[in-house]
Amino acid sequence: MKKLINTPERLVDEELAGMALAHADLIRVEEPNIIVRRDAPRKGKVGVISGGGSGHEPMHGGFVGLGMLDAACPGAVFTSPVPDQMLAATKAVNGGVGVLHIVKNYTGDIMNFEIAAELAGAAGIEVKSVVMADDVAVKDSLWTAGRRGVGGTVLAEKIVGAAAEKNADLATLAALCQKVQDNVRSMGMALTSCTVPAAGKPTFEIGDDEMEIGVGIHGEPGRERRKLATADEITEALAVPIIDDLPFKRGDRVLAFVNGLGGTPLIELYVVYRKLAAILDGRGITIARNLVGSYITSLDMAGCSITLLRLDDELIRLWDAPVHTAALRW
Amino acid sequence: MAITTAELADAVDTFAGRIHAAKEELTTLDSAIGDADHGINMDRGMSAVREILRELRQGDPGALFTQTGMKLISTVGGASGPLYGTFFLRLGTSLGETPEVTPRRLAEALRAGLEGVKARGKAELGDKTMVDAMTPAVEAFEAGADGDLTTALAAAATAAAGGRDRVTPVVARKGRASYLGERSAGHQDPGATSTTILFESLRDALAVTG
């Protein structure tokens, strides 16, 4: 393992210390490891928080700031945060009108947020939770943990954060977040594994001529291993299941999000975006907005994910609204 | 024959030690069908529990298990934190201030722990989770709780291992392994493995020798 790490045990703490120094104008870092918007809590504003394992940077800590999240709770690498963190974050951003929890659909995240919401409720803070589950690689059924929350989460946090900035109420924000979830689909692929620092070696072995299709963001293997293909073929293999799943139809306006998983350079992401634009154009789907870059990652994994969000005027307006965070700003 | 708080604390300590020893194995199992952190997370939590065990030995069994559960919820994260945390919390609540624990009382507490895990994780038998090792273990212990404690504990540990092995060929329906679909079949479940270690720790720490 060759990494810019002092010790795996101190990795998250040292990262947070660095973030606090680098972005002191936007955030503050508090015990027990929560990233809070500098001006939180704001009276009369619904607090919007999210959280999850570390290793997905810039998600979620890089999205704390004006027009996006009020707080983020980073757990250990790939491990959901503990309820103490979400409870502390909920209290730190409580402006008296409730707090929204945006939760990615993983067994651990769901349970830890659930316990925190119960404790916050007992402390007199109204909490609503929306679960993001947009990964079409997972076959959804009543009998499994269900779809994973992936790229759609970034878009939901931006859009919901924009509405919260305009003092929308808790019920409205929860409904808006659900609307994003209902209209967003994603799928990812990996060229390499990633290395969990505490484990010290790649999570899975993969040949030079192989790729994993349908991976999540925790280095877990995907649904199937295939022979390596060209960028255009890979883009097609991700885009088609996404389009067919919602389904996205001729005449739809979408936000097209091409995301790097941490070890893939931007030059390759634009190659994927170019092909994605052609595929959507061929189906009469208009890209009204886009996002290209590494925003929800899986440590040093090489690979990418594609996320499509069906837009309407409301979502476009909220997407365009000002945002000022460490990772996203306009 | 009642079990004392000190003996139960020894069992928790044994569990912590064996989780530490099995850290690599659990993480390797989790790398195959999960996210490569089960051993690391459980070891972090049980190491934190170890730090408060000396103090907990002095109190009642209810406090021992309640504090163990709360410490796990606060330090482990992931799915294991709330699940093992809930298990120990329910054990503690069930035992309350009972100064000495009979095998029958322990059986009731283990049952409460199991029901807590199922309620929190919404997993059922056959989903390929820790429930698959815990259910047969609790049932075996209940069946033997009026007889010899050592025999009942041995039966529980054997049943846990049997449950763990029974779901190895099965396709996972809960937890991160479920994302792999068919590919999860043939892999031993990390959660069922750590649960087997738990019952083996109870067996070896509480067995009446001589």
Side-chain angles (χ1 to χ4, degrees):
Chain A
M1 182 172 66
K2 271 168 95 175
K3 295 202 178 271
L4 289 169
I5 287 175
N6 294 313
T7 67
E9 293 73 25
R10 297 281 307 151
L11 173 58
V12 174
D13 291 345
E14 292 180 351
E15 175 225 356
L16 292 179
M19 277 195 77
L21 291 168
H23 306 294
D25 56 326
L26 301 173
I27 58 164
R28 57 181 200 262
V29 172
E30 293 180 357
E31 285 296 314
N33 275 7
I34 57 173
I35 299 166
V36 183
R37 189 170 150 174
R38 194 159 175 257
D39 60 356
R42 264 174 49 199
K43 203 168 164 40
K45 178 188 179 298
V46 172
V48 180
I49 76 164
S50 190
S54 291
H56 308 304
E57 293 68 26
M59 189 184 76
H60 298 276
F63 302 141
V64 175
L66 179 126
M68 217 161 163
L69 295 177
D70 293 284
C73 308
V77 170
F78 292 173
T79 300
S80 85
V82 298
D84 306 36
Q85 290 171 275
M86 278 76 88
L87 180 61
T90 301
K91 287 177 174 171
V93 305
N94 175 32
V97 289
V99 176
L100 181 71
H101 290 182
I102 300 179
V103 187
K104 299 192 302 304
N105 188 33
Y106 299 96
T107 310
D109 292 53
I110 297 277
M111 287 190 283
N112 286 289
F113 268 93
E114 206 171 78
I115 293 171
E118 287 167 15
L119 295 171
I125 304 173
E126 191 186 354
V127 171
K128 282 191 186 294
S129 304
V130 177
V131 176
M132 297 303 299
D134 54 313
D135 187 354
V136 304
V138 178
K139 282 183 190 142
D140 196 11
S141 94
L142 289 173
W143 307 108
T144 68
R147 288 182 162 172
R148 298 175 283 225
V150 287
T153 313
V154 177
L155 310 184
E157 289 175 0
K158 164 66 188 86
I159 286 165
V160 170
E165 205 64 50
K166 292 174 181 160
N167 287 349
D169 65 27
L170 181 58
T172 304
L173 292 174
L176 177 65
C177 197
Q178 188 61 48
K179 176 177 163 180
V180 174
Q181 161 57 28
D182 292 343
N183 287 283
V184 71
R185 296 292 185 272
S186 302
M187 189 156 156
M189 62 79 56
L191 298 166
T192 68
S193 177
C194 57
T195 298
V196 176
K201 55 180 190 291
T203 302
F204 58 81
E205 297 295 327
I206 184 161
D208 282 346
D209 58 344
E210 294 175 317
M211 62 179 179
E212 285 277 336
I213 293 282
V215 295
I217 51 171
H218 300 91
E220 65 271 56
R223 282 204 79 86
E224 58 172 315
R225 183 162 291 197
R226 293 188 198 163
K227 281 280 163 213
L228 189 59
T230 64
D232 283 3
E233 287 163 344
I234 290 169
T235 306
E236 183 111 21
L238 297 180
V240 172
I242 294 171
I243 293 167
D244 291 348
D245 188 86
L246 191 63
F248 292 88
K249 298 199 189 85
R250 184 167 294 278
D252 280 348
R253 290 175 297 167
V254 299
L255 189 161
F257 172 25
V258 173
N259 174 64
L261 288 179
T264 286
L266 195 52
I267 189 171
E268 296 174 24
L269 298 182
Y270 280 117
V271 173
V272 171
Y273 183 78
R274 161 199 141 275
K275 176 63 179 177
L276 177 62
I279 294 170
L280 292 173
D281 187 53
R283 291 176 176 239
I285 298 166
T286 306
I287 300 181
R289 296 292 184 274
N290 71 74
L291 184 66
V292 182
S294 297
Y295 293 97
I296 167 170
T297 60
S298 187
L299 291 170
D300 53 352
M301 177 176 272
C304 72
S305 64
I306 291 175
T307 297
L308 295 180
L309 168 64
R310 183 162 56 199
L311 294 169
D312 60 12
D313 291 343
E314 180 195 28
L315 296 184
I316 290 176
R317 198 171 59 245
L318 291 167
W319 179 258
D320 288 345
V323 60
H324 193 143
T325 66
L328 215 56
R329 57 177 77 183
W330 53 75
Chain B
M1 250 297 295
I3 310 160
T4 65
T5 305
E7 288 168 330
L8 292 169
D10 286 343
V12 173
D13 188 57
T14 301
F15 180 49
R18 295 204 180 166
I19 284 293
H20 184 71
K23 182 176 161 184
E24 296 290 325
E25 180 203 345
L26 291 171
T27 294
T28 302
L29 290 173
D30 198 25
S31 298
I33 55 172
D35 55 354
D37 64 3
H38 188 52
I40 297 159
N41 292 342
M42 286 300 292
D43 185 44
R44 181 175 56 243
M46 289 310 297
S47 298
V49 168
R50 258 186 165 167
E51 285 173 19
I52 56 169
L53 266 187
R54 184 188 294 271
E55 192 184 324
L56 294 177
R57 288 176 76 89
Q58 316 300 327
D60 57 56
L64 165 70
F65 288 128
T66 304
Q67 294 300 317
T68 297
M70 286 173 63
K71 186 56 91 177
L72 290 176
I73 289 175
S74 295
T75 55
V76 177
S80 323
L83 291 171
Y84 276 105
T86 299
F87 175 78
F88 283 108
L89 268 179
R90 293 292 178 94
L91 234 62
T93 312
S94 172
L95 292 174
E97 292 172 6
T98 315
E100 288 192 330
V101 180
T102 63
R104 180 50 63 191
R105 290 283 281 122
L106 182 58
E108 288 166 9
L110 290 171
R111 166 61 62 180
L114 168 63
E115 295 305 327
V117 168
K118 286 163 74 174
R120 183 59 76 188
K122 299 175 181 71
E124 291 297 331
L125 210 55
D127 285 346
K128 190 162 180 154
T129 71
M130 58 193 281
V131 168
D132 290 297
M134 194 177 280
T135 304
V138 171
E139 285 171 357
F141 189 74
E142 284 171 335
D146 292 326
D148 175 54
L149 175 63
T150 306
T151 310
L153 288 167
T158 305
R164 172 199 67 198
D165 295 341
R166 196 153 43 245
V167 290
T168 296
V170 166
V171 174
R173 293 191 299 199
K174 281 286 186 311
R176 270 190 195 155
S178 71
Y179 303 139
L180 273 72
E182 301 290 334
R183 283 176 81 179
S184 64
H187 290 283
Q188 184 175 318
D189 184 63
T193 305
S194 57
T195 296
T196 302
I197 294 173
L198 171 66
F199 281 92
E200 288 171 352
S201 302
L202 287 173
R203 175 194 66 195
D204 298 338
L206 300 179
V208 182
T209 46

